[in-house]
Amino acid sequence: MSETVASRGWAIIVHGGAKDIPPGQEDVHRDGCLRALAAGRAILETGGHAVDAVEAAVRALEDDPTFNAGYGAVRNGDGVVELDAAIMDGASLAVGGVAGVRTLRHPISVAAAMLDETPVLLVADGAEAFARAHGGEFCEPADLIIERAGDPGCDTVGCVALDRHGDIAAGTSTGGLSGCHPGRVGDSPLPGCGLYADNAVGGVSLSGDGESLIRTTLAARLMQSLEALPPDAAIKAALGRLEKVGGEAGLIVIDAEGRVGWGHSSAQFAVAHARQDTPAKAFTHRSQDAEKDLA
Ligand code: GLY
C-alpha cells in the first residue's frame, strides 16, 4: 500500500448503463445507483476489500429492475435471456467472467468465485455447472426478464472501487442486448473491452455498444491513456478512439491516485460516486457533475 493511496482513502463509482433514460425515470436511476454505491461503500468504510465492494455494488444493481443486469434483463432474438458479467482484481490481475448464462441470479458473484480459479471466462452450461459447484444462486430465466415500455432495455451496469489497502477492482454485469443474435457475447465479460483493473494504473468499467467496445478494445485503450493522463482526459481520448468505429459508450474510472472520473457519448449515463473525503452524489448526465476529477 503506498502512502499516497492510504492517505487518500477509499473511493467508489457505480453506473447504471449508457443509454436513453425515459422521461420521468431519472430519479429511479439515481436512487438505484445510490443504493448500489451504499452497498459497496459499507464494505470500504469498514476496511473491506475492493473486490468485495464491487461485487456488493453490482449485486445491488442486479437486484434492481431499473437496470438491465440480473433481475431486469432483456430477451435475445430467441426470446430468452442471456447474461454476461465479469470482475477483475487489480492487485493480482485475476479475472473471472461468465457469458451466456440463463439461470444465475447473481452472475457477478459467480464471476467473483472464479477469481481464485484458472479459467478467466466460462460460458453457458459450463458457467452454470461452475456455479452449482460453488454455491451459486439459481432462478427461473423468465423471472429475470422485465418488459419495458418505451425503454430499449439494453446495456450494462458496473462499478470500480479503491480500498484502504490501495487495491482497485472493477466489475460489469449485463442482461444482454434486446433482440440480439442468440449466443452473442458483448464487451461486459471481456477484460480489456468492458473492464480492467491494475493497482499500478487504476480501474475502469464500460458500458455501451458492445461490438464497438470490443473492436476498439476500449478498456485497454483507456487504461493505456490513464498511464499518462488524469481520468477526464483519458476518458476523452478513449471516446475519441470510439469514433473510429462509431457507437456509444459510458466509462467510469478510478486511477491509482484515487481520482474518480466518468464520461459518456450516450444521451445519458446514470452514475453515483463517493470518496472517503467526499459525500455520495448521483447524476444522469456528466454536465451535472461540476467537480472535475473530485481532485
Ligand atoms: N455493453 C453491453 C453489451 O453490449 O453487451
Side-chain angles (χ1 to χ4, degrees):
M1 168 174 54
S2 81
E3 286 307 311
T4 307
V5 169
S7 63
R8 287 173 194 258
W10 56 263
I12 182 167
I13 182 165
V14 306
H15 78 76
K19 60 183 181 181
D20 292 344
I21 297 176
Q25 293 280 305
E26 289 90 352
D27 283 350
V28 291
H29 281 76
R30 275 191 291 264
D31 291 350
C33 284
L34 284 170
R35 274 193 299 276
L37 192 81
R41 175 187 183 145
I43 290 169
L44 298 173
E45 279 178 333
T46 52
H49 292 287
V51 163
D52 297 329
V54 167
E55 182 187 349
V58 174
R59 281 179 67 97
L61 293 162
E62 288 177 342
D63 273 337
D64 189 334
T66 304
F67 304 111
N68 176 28
Y71 177 53
V74 297
R75 299 177 191 276
N76 69 10
D78 275 350
V80 298
V81 67
E82 290 182 322
L83 313 173
D84 306 332
I87 191 165
M88 182 159 186
D89 178 357
S92 61
L93 305 189
V95 188
V98 296
V101 296
R102 294 184 175 177
T103 62
L104 300 185
R105 184 67 189 80
H106 284 293
I108 194 69
S109 292
V110 178
M114 289 171 60
L115 286 171
D116 295 329
E117 309 288 334
T118 302
V120 162
L121 180 62
L122 292 174
V123 302
D125 292 350
E128 294 180 0
F130 177 91
R132 259 189 301 282
H134 291 80
E137 287 173 62
F138 288 83
C139 62
E140 288 298 320
D143 292 346
L144 295 171
I145 296 169
I146 297 288
E147 313 288 355
R148 297 175 176 87
D151 180 348
C154 60
D155 226 75
T156 317
V157 302
C159 176
V160 182
L162 164 70
D163 65 29
R164 285 181 165 154
H165 314 284
D167 291 331
I168 297 174
T172 51
S173 183
T174 182
L177 190 59
S178 195
C180 73
H181 197 289
R184 176 255 184 199
V185 176
D187 58 294
S188 303
L190 304 179
C193 299
L195 77 164
Y196 204 82
D198 179 346
N199 280 2
V201 179
V204 304
S205 178
L206 279 60
S207 171
D209 295 315
E211 283 71 13
S212 296
L213 304 186
I214 293 168
R215 288 166 65 199
T216 52
T217 56
L218 207 64
R221 288 272 174 176
L222 181 53
M223 290 294 290
Q224 189 179 29
S225 294
L226 272 181
E227 289 178 7
L229 299 171
D232 276 0
I235 287 166
K236 193 172 170 201
L239 288 173
R241 173 73 183 170
L242 191 67
E243 286 172 11
K244 201 172 168 73
V245 298
E248 294 182 341
L251 308 87
I252 59 173
V253 169
I254 299 177
D255 75 2
E257 299 296 317
R259 292 177 295 187
V260 175
W262 62 289
H264 54 106
S265 58
S266 52
Q268 282 141 313
F269 188 44
V271 162
H273 57 66
R275 276 193 341 195
Q276 188 163 321
D277 55 4
T278 311
K281 294 176 190 165
F283 311 92
T284 54
H285 194 279
R286 184 67 180 89
S287 61
Q288 301 160 352
D289 191 347
E291 284 185 81
K292 292 286 177 193
D293 283 346
L294 297 176

